[in-house]
Amino acid sequence: MTLVSVAFTTLSTLLADPGADFAASAETLASIVSERAAIARTYPAQAAPHLSADDALATGLISLAGQAMTLSLRMEEANGPEDLRCIYRGMAQDASHHLDRLSQAELRADRLAVYADIEYLLEHAQEIGPLADQDEIAPFTGVPPDCPRGPLP
């Protein structure tokens, strides 16, 4: 992903409804993951193809992680619900972690579990993303989750 496309993605996220955009990104990625999982199930013994820097799934996961972190930081700045802040932060970390796992897989079959984990992440991203766009979000009333503040290291 080029610097220009990263800047454009970040800018568009800031100007639009970032939660809805996050959910839409997750929906787009879900179709890519579904296609790749079907291929992996069909040809499990084949070597897993290298994920290039411009691979749609790789760039999509990187972008999704950035969007999730932006949502987490927005929750933090707005003094929003701690649980949502932590959920978005965790989604950013999960997207990056899943990309690492995909890159390390040697066989297509090795990627099947990762695809299932990504599908789970994307389903939740589609559900929880739009909450960030609400004007009034009920504060979390339980014990605040113990997750770090600020951007990911």
Side-chain angles (χ1 to χ4, degrees):
M1 183 175 255
T2 67
L3 184 57
V4 172
S5 60
V6 170
F8 179 76
T9 300
T10 302
L11 181 60
S12 66
T13 298
L14 294 173
L15 297 176
D17 293 326
D21 290 346
F22 178 66
S25 295
E27 185 176 356
T28 299
L29 281 175
S31 65
I32 295 170
V33 171
S34 178
E35 290 172 14
R36 302 237 179 136
I39 293 168
R41 281 189 294 277
T42 304
Y43 305 104
Q46 282 186 351
H50 171 72
L51 289 177
S52 65
D54 62 345
D55 178 82
L57 182 55
T59 59
L61 285 171
I62 291 167
S63 178
L64 190 81
Q67 289 176 299
M69 197 63 229
T70 297
L71 294 176
S72 177
L73 293 172
R74 281 179 164 226
M75 284 293 139
E76 185 174 329
E77 290 169 10
N79 211 16
E82 286 290 307
D83 58 337
L84 279 180
R85 180 185 68 77
C86 288
I87 289 168
Y88 292 133
R89 182 183 181 88
M91 288 180 162
Q93 291 170 317
D94 288 349
S96 295
H97 177 70
H98 295 328
L99 180 56
D100 290 342
R101 290 175 54 211
L102 284 175
S103 297
Q104 295 169 4
E106 293 182 19
L107 298 175
R108 288 185 190 267
D110 299 334
R111 289 189 173 169
L112 285 172
V114 184
Y115 290 142
D117 290 344
I118 294 171
E119 287 173 334
Y120 180 81
L121 169 68
L122 298 175
E123 286 173 20
H124 286 91
Q126 290 175 61
E127 291 174 22
I128 202 164
L131 293 177
D133 298 333
Q134 294 178 3
D135 291 331
E136 295 290 326
I137 303 173
F140 180 62
T141 56
V143 177
D146 185 24
C147 73
R149 292 182 135 346
L152 291 173

